[in-house]
């Protein structure tokens, strides 16, 4: 946690305190990473118990690193009293103490455990996991560690589990001098099948060759089944005369267990006089089996993940094709949550035949939403007929919709089928349906109810299957109450209501739409040198109320593109008024660097409401906003301050992901973060957001600043997350310079992490 040099200091402090407790002739040795061995000469079990209990209690009460941390200790005690004619065997004493220490740790720690013979029968009760692998034979121990290292490296690098098994099986058979080796797996039917098997075939007195085989003998398969059933290594012992020439054979079966599941088995046998495996190698075989089990488990997970990804990819591909086609047809551009929710509702209702009513102010894109409903429906390959009721004279609207027979009225020289019939099998979009005359509404109501069309001047009824999507900027409910629209038709149309919000309620869409229109019109009018909007222009666009909605924004950008000659769209060509906060309506202008610096140094905003960004988003303005947030947190009076650091970190990745339209590689590059780290942090941020742990309203200003900074960032590799964190950390250290508990709570981290950050910052 603190790094190796600091860890070594702690180890040294522990050793010093142990030395103070022991006698001069007692021995202290470092047994493992954080495990010590104390050899107490001429001591009995009672003395060992007393020393162990004292160590467990006193060491756990004393702080380390000048009070920075406290540690808990477990103690295992064992004694050995050989008979007068016996030779002392220290390894037995060490193994017993190790078993006792393992029992103390498995029992919850912070306690003393004494060795008893019953501990020898328990699996996994060693404090040092290598104690069952090292045999004391240096050559064998080197071989075991080499094989385990090779197995771990192969498992880590392997992409094909069958190739991995082939390589390891050959290596094991050669080094262990076996005659047969096999890896078996559990089939879906529940039977055990041989995945890969090798046997040693002799070509003379000394020359041998490894040959693949497809099956194992009956006895071998029985041994494999027993190991998989018992979930432990099975040593079949030595069997007389089962090999060529009557040689004795020794065989083992090792279950492959991962995440509590038995995935297969490793089988090995060989001549008893040659096989380089014995009972002391059981721990080694278990460790080797664990590595093979990891490979099997990873292969199964990869297969399951691949199947899931294929299904998910197919599903997303279909949806993406639908959305791409719909967007290409309708030119819908958005990023706000309101529009995402609206389009999600449209996607859900599109496959049905329900009538849809799209409402909203002029210029919000009602027709585009109506087109999206058609393009996302099962009727997308059928006609999509659009009728603008406001542009057709009231005397001709009935003929336009229902058609007419020849001679139905003066000037009707030819028969016309009407727009409803043209939409047969597809979708009829009625734009501005509020302009439909009352006398035509009754006839249209019959069509909506019965799907029947009678042309003007005709008597023949024709069935027409056309889905109706109506759009209007009027309040049809009020129109119906005042008698200007048929209430029964309104209810028939209003089965599903999609209300398109005005642009003033979608601030996240303003700059996104502006940049889209800038790119589109720059290409259309050969303005290739135009690359961006100036900071003042962006600020003006965000603060404008947009009474004309998206249509007004589009026309403003079109005008600016035509009039601009430089690299960017400046404020003077947009033609927007930018009233100051006092409502004076002063003429909009670019602010000078001195004015921006003054605004950053002396921020003013309401502490209880969401405040728009009043100045060009700079790191200075973010520093001041964070300082204000710290003051609000400290003034709240809560026992535990809010985790501002967590909100800041989560907000950064969420805004980067939103700014990059969820292209994670691009988002990670924008804020200078590795993609894997970005994915992990984004997952945490989304989980926190979904759990309802959202910041207070005043945090919206910081979110807006982050969005602006990320939008202006280039893929330069600078770690924006650390830079933003350091700004917050500076403010915290300034407000609570000596209160580590409050500071760590504000940063949303542990106290040791907070100390380390402050040391790095200083």
């Amino acid at each position: 946690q603190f790094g190796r040099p600091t860890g070594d200091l702690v180890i040294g402090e522990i050793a010093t305190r142990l030395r103070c407790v022991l006698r001069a002739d007692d021995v202290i040795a470092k047994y493992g990473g954080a495990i010590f061995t104390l050899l107490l000469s001429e001591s009995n079990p009672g003395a060992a118990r007393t020393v162990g209990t004292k160590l467990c209690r006193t060491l756990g009460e004393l702080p380390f690193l000048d009070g920075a941390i406290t540690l808990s200790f477990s103690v295992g005690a064992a004694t050995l009293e050989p008979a007068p004619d016996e030779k002392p065997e220290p390894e037995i004493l060490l193994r017993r103490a190790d078993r006792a220490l393992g029992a103390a740790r498995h029992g919850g720690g912070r306690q003393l455990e004494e060795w008893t013979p019953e501990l020898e029968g328990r699996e996994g009760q060693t404090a040092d996991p290598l104690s069952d692998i090292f045999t004391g034979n240096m050559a064998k121990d080197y071989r075991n560690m080499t094989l385990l290292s090779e197995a771990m490296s192969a498992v880590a690098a392997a992409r094909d589990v069958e190739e991995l098994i082939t390589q390891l099986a050959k290596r094991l058979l050669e080094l262990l001098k076996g005659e047969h080796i096999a890896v078996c797996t559990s089939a879906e039917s529940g039977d055990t099948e041989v995945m890969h098997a090798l046997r040693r075939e002799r070509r003379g007195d000394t020359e041998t060759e490894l040959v693949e085989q497809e099956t194992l003998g009956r006895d071998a398969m029985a041994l494999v089944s027993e190991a998989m059933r018992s979930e432990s290594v099975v040593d079949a012992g030595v069997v007389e005369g089962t090999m060529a020439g009557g040689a004795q054979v020794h065989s083992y079966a090792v279950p492959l267990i991962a995440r509590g599941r038995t995935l297969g088995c490793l089988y090995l046998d060989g001549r008893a006089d040659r096989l380089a495996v014995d009972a002391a190698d059981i721990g080694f075989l278990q460790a080797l089996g664990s590595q093979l089990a990891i490979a099997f488990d990873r292969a199964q997970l990869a297969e399951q993940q691949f199947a899931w990804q294929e299904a998910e990819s197919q599903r997303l591909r279909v949806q993406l094709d639908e959305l791409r086609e719909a967007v290409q047809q309708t030119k819908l551009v958005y990023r706000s949550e309101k529009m995402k929710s609206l389009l999600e509702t449209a996607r859900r209702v599109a496959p049905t035949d329900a009538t849809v009513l799209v409402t909203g102010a002029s210029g919000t894109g009602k027709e585009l939403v109506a087109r999206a409903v058609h393009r996302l429906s099962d009727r997308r390959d059928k006609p999509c007929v659009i009728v603008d009721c406001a542009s057709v004279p009231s005397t001709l609207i009935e003929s336009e919709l229902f058609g007419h027979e020849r001679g139905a009225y003066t000037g009707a020289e030819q028969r016309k089928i009407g727009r409803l019939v043209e939409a047969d099998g597809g979708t009829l979009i009625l734009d501005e349906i509020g302009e439909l005359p009352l006398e035509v509404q009754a006839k249209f109501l019959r069509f909506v109810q019965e799907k029947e069309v009678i042309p003007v001047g005709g008597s023949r009824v024709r069935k027409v299957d056309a889905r109706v999507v109506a759009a209007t900027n009027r309040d049809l409910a009020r129109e119906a109450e005042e008698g200007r629209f048929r209430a029964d038709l309104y209810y028939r149309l209003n089965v599903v209501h999609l209300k398109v919000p005005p642009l003033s309620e979608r601030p996240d869409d303003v700059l996104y739409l502006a940049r889209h229109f800038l790119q589109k019109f720059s290409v259309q009018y050969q303005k290739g040198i135009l690359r961006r909007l100036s900071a003042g222009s962006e600020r003006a666009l965000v603060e404008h109320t947009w009474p004309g909605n998206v249509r007004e924004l589009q026309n403003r950008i079109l005008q600016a593109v035509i009039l601009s000659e430089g690299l960017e769209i400046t404020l003077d060509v947009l033609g927007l008024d930018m009233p100051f906060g006092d409502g004076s309506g002063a003429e909009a202008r670019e602010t000078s660097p001195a004015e921006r610096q003054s605004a950053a140094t002396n921020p003013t905003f309401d502490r209880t409401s969401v405040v728009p960004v009043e100045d060009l988003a700079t790191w200075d303005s973010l520093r001041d906003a964070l300082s204000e947030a710290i003051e609000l947190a400290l003034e709240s009076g809560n026992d535990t301050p809010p985790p501002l650091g967590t909100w800041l970190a989560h907000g950064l990745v969420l805004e980067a992901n939103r700014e990059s339209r969820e292209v994670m590689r691009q988002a990670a590059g924008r804020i200078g973060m590795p993609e894997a780290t970005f994915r992990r942090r984004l997952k945490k941020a989304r989980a926190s957001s979904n759990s309802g742990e959202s910041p207070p309203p005043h945090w919206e200003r910081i979110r807006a600043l982050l969005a602006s900074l990320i939008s202006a960032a280039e893929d330069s590799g600078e770690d924006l997350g650390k830079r933003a964190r350091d700004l917050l950390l500076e403010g915290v250290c300034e407000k609570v310079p000596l209160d580590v508990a409050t500071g760590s709570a504000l940063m949303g981290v542990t106290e040791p992490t907070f100390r380390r950050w402050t040391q790095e910052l200083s």
Side-chain angles (χ1 to χ4, degrees), residues 403-685:
H404 61 258
E405 298 293 345
R406 181 179 179 183
Y409 53 85
T410 302
E413 298 178 356
Q414 293 181 346
R415 179 175 178 269
K416 180 180 179 179
I417 62 173
R419 307 304 296 274
L420 293 179
V421 176
E422 289 180 12
D424 192 14
T427 304
L428 174 70
I429 297 177
L430 286 179
D431 196 10
E432 302 302 343
I433 194 172
E435 305 293 338
L436 196 65
L438 281 170
E439 59 272 16
V440 181
Q441 291 179 22
K443 191 172 183 179
F444 186 70
L445 174 63
R446 179 173 179 80
F447 166 74
V448 175
Q449 292 176 327
E450 308 296 337
K451 299 297 182 183
E452 294 178 352
V453 173
I454 302 177
V456 177
S459 58
R460 180 181 165 186
V461 177
R462 177 173 178 174
K463 284 285 187 181
V464 173
D465 176 23
R467 195 237 190 104
V468 176
V469 179
T472 181
N473 61 359
R474 293 189 180 185
D475 185 350
L476 291 189
R478 177 176 293 180
E479 296 281 311
E481 290 177 1
E482 297 177 357
R484 292 191 296 271
F485 198 87
R486 292 183 63 101
D488 46 3
L489 177 58
Y490 167 67
Y491 294 129
R492 285 289 181 180
L493 295 175
N494 194 30
V495 176
V496 177
H497 185 190
L498 298 178
K499 184 176 181 181
V500 185
L503 191 56
S504 59
E505 296 179 7
R506 298 151 46 191
D508 289 347
D509 285 341
V510 174
L511 291 181
Y512 197 62
L513 282 164
R515 291 167 185 150
H516 166 74
F517 292 140
L518 174 61
Q519 182 181 18
K520 173 185 174 181
F521 295 138
S522 297
V523 174
Q524 183 175 346
Y525 293 97
Q526 291 84 44
K527 293 278 189 172
I529 60 174
L530 281 172
R531 292 292 183 268
R532 60 184 178 270
L533 295 159
S534 71
S537 298
E538 290 190 350
R539 187 168 66 254
L541 290 170
V542 171
E543 295 183 359
H544 191 61
T545 56
W546 299 112
N549 293 296
V550 179
R551 187 178 294 120
E552 180 188 358
L553 173 62
Q554 181 178 359
N555 291 338
R556 293 283 190 181
I557 299 299
L558 174 58
Q559 168 190 287
V561 168
I562 293 174
L563 297 178
S564 293
E565 296 180 351
L567 293 174
E568 62 182 14
I569 299 292
T570 56
L571 186 56
D572 56 337
V573 297
L574 277 177
L576 294 175
D577 287 334
M578 287 180 56
F580 287 179
D582 58 2
S584 62
E587 180 182 359
R589 61 184 179 84
E590 295 274 10
T591 55
S592 67
E595 291 171 326
R596 290 198 294 269
Q597 178 63 33
S598 175
T601 308
N602 302 285
T604 58
F605 57 90
D606 185 359
R607 292 190 174 197
T608 59
S609 62
V610 178
V611 177
V613 181
E614 76 284 349
D615 194 9
L616 176 64
T618 63
W619 289 101
D620 285 337
S621 56
L622 179 61
R623 174 188 287 106
D624 293 326
L626 291 173
S627 178
E628 188 76 15
I630 296 169
E631 290 182 4
L632 289 172
L634 295 175
E635 292 173 3
S636 64
N638 296 331
D639 294 336
T640 302
L644 305 184
T646 302
W647 294 348
L648 184 65
H650 288 178
L652 188 75
V653 295
L654 288 172
E655 289 305 317
N657 189 54
R658 186 180 293 112
E659 182 67 28
S660 303
R661 301 185 67 180
E662 299 190 356
V663 179
M664 293 195 184
R665 178 174 300 176
Q666 181 180 347
R670 276 182 174 271
I671 60 177
M673 186 180 294
E675 185 178 355
T677 304
F678 181 85
R679 290 178 180 275
R680 185 173 64 253
R681 294 188 181 179
L682 180 63
K683 182 178 180 181
K684 290 183 179 180

Side-chain angles (χ1 to χ4, degrees), residues 17 86 131 196 219 244 327 366-367 409 521 617 622 696 708:
R17 294 176 185 180
E86 284 185 323
S131 60
H196 184 75
D219 293 340
V327 169
K366 298 184 296 298
E367 182 183 329
Y409 53 85
F521 295 138
L622 179 61
S708 182

Side-chain angles (χ1 to χ4, degrees), residues 146-301:
T146 300
L147 282 174
L148 283 177
S149 176
E150 291 178 357
M152 293 172 67
S153 299
V155 169
R159 297 185 179 272
D160 186 343
V161 68
E162 294 188 7
E163 180 182 353
L164 167 69
I165 295 302
T166 301
Q167 295 176 354
L168 287 181
K170 181 182 295 187
R171 180 70 169 151
L172 287 171
L173 199 63
E174 291 175 344
L175 287 181
L176 301 181
K177 301 177 182 179
E179 296 291 327
H180 298 87
I181 192 169
V183 177
C184 305
T185 59
S186 297
E188 294 183 358
S189 61
D191 297 332
T192 301
E193 60 183 22
V194 177
M195 179 180 181
H196 184 75
L198 291 175
R199 75 173 187 274
R200 188 181 299 277
E201 189 171 291
R202 304 193 178 279
R203 299 298 184 186
D205 294 338
T206 58
E207 186 178 355
T208 61
E209 181 182 359
L210 300 182
V211 180
E212 294 187 11
Q213 62 183 56
E214 297 182 356
T215 60
L216 287 176
R218 181 180 301 175
D219 293 340
M221 292 303 293
L223 198 67
V224 167
S225 299
E226 182 181 351
M228 294 177 66
R229 178 187 53 79
S230 64
E231 297 184 347
S232 59
V233 178
V234 177
D235 181 356
V238 178
V239 179
E240 297 286 343
T242 57
M243 285 192 173
Q248 297 177 330
V249 63
H250 199 162
S251 54
Y252 296 88
V254 183
L256 309 181
I257 303 173
R259 295 191 298 153
R261 298 184 302 126
T262 302
L263 306 177
C265 186
L266 171 67
Y267 172 82
L268 174 70
D269 69 28
R271 295 169 59 102
D273 57 343
R274 295 180 180 173
L275 186 64
V277 179
D278 54 35
D281 290 312
I282 298 297
F284 160 70
L285 293 176
Q286 288 176 327
L288 185 62
S290 297
Q291 294 303 313
L292 293 177
I294 291 173
F296 273 107
D297 187 48
R298 180 183 296 171
Q300 291 185 359
L301 289 174

Side-chain angles (χ1 to χ4, degrees), residues 300-315:
Q300 291 185 359
L301 289 174
E303 185 176 348
Q304 295 170 5
Q305 180 73 2
F306 179 77
W308 179 85
Q309 285 180 338
E310 280 294 300
E312 184 70 5
S313 177
Q314 181 64 25
R315 183 183 68 82

